[in-house]
Each structure stands twice: as structure tokens, then as C-alpha cells.
Amino acid sequence: MEVTVRIDGVDHKAHAQLIKGTLWVHHNGRVFTLDAGSGRKSRKKAGAGGSSDQVMAPMPGKVTKILLTPGSAVQAGQAVLVMEAMKMEYTLKAEIAGTIDSVNCTVGEQVALGKVLVRIKPKTDK
């Protein structure tokens, strides 16, 4: 759905979608979330949705590059894959260090908002 967002008194058109009680608002390359149950606001960067061991689609779009394969080591902040949405390119990054456990998408695949694209097995300090 398209919504109007007022920022500093100026109205902007944005794309929004309600998934599992969270309203995801995409505007100008940024993703904002609002917990529909509590009304609490939060702000997430593209690719930062979901728990830290998952890289989730921050918006509906097309996967254009997969940069790591299962079994690859990954560092926190390292680019994992690239997707294209709303005529923009988004590089999705890992939030934690570890090993790529699974890649749940393919290059060229259209993915839905919130889909888990990559799972990361956290690095242990043993």
C-alpha cells in the first residue's frame, strides 16, 4: 500500500506493508518499522530486519547477487547479498559473525517482504 509520511512538515509518498503485526514503511532507501500492537516505533536499515542470525528481505524485490555460499565465514557488517527494489539497489549485510548456514533464495528470484534470505550460524568463542 502507498502511504503519506510527514517528515519535518513535508508530506512524502512511501510504500508500506503490514506483516505479522509489524508495519514496514519504505521511504527513500530507508526502512522504518512500527509494532502495530504496542505502537512502538523503530528504525532499521535496509537488510537489518529480523533476528541477528538471519538476513531478511527489507522489502519486496528481486535478488540480483548472492555474495556468499553456505559454509562461508562471514563477519558482522559484511555484505551477504544484493537485491533490487523500487528501482534501487540494496546491499544486505550480516549483523553477526559466523558461518553461512543456508541461502534461501536464488539470483533473479522475486522475494516477499520479510522472507528469510540467509541464515547465519553464530560464531562461538570455544
Side-chain angles (χ1 to χ4, degrees):
M1 77 178 102
E2 188 171 289
V3 296
T4 301
V5 178
R6 181 168 289 164
I7 302 172
D8 296 330
V10 179
D11 290 341
H12 301 271
K13 297 282 184 190
H15 180 77
Q17 191 166 5
L18 181 63
I19 296 180
K20 296 181 182 177
T22 301
L23 181 65
W24 295 71
V25 179
H26 309 276
H27 174 66
N28 203 20
R30 292 182 169 167
V31 179
F32 303 87
T33 61
L34 176 68
D35 184 346
S38 69
R40 290 183 22 199
K41 293 185 274 185
S42 64
R43 183 178 152 211
K44 297 182 177 186
K45 294 179 182 175
S51 67
S52 61
D53 64 344
Q54 301 174 351
V55 176
M56 297 172 64
M59 61 193 66
K62 180 180 174 181
V63 175
T64 57
K65 294 178 190 171
I66 298 173
L67 305 172
L68 297 172
T69 59
S72 300
V74 64
Q75 298 298 315
Q78 183 177 353
V80 176
L81 63 86
V82 179
M83 65 181 292
E84 182 179 285
M86 296 187 288
K87 300 180 182 177
M88 297 182 72
E89 187 174 274
Y90 297 90
T91 300
L92 306 184
K93 299 177 181 177
E95 290 185 17
I96 62 170
T99 304
I100 300 297
D101 189 40
S102 64
V103 176
N104 306 314
C105 59
T106 59
V107 173
E109 181 180 348
Q110 290 287 332
V111 296
L113 170 67
K115 177 180 178 172
V116 176
L117 302 172
V118 175
R119 290 189 189 278
I120 300 169
K121 184 176 179 181
K123 182 179 180 179
T124 57
D125 294 330
K126 292 182 181 178

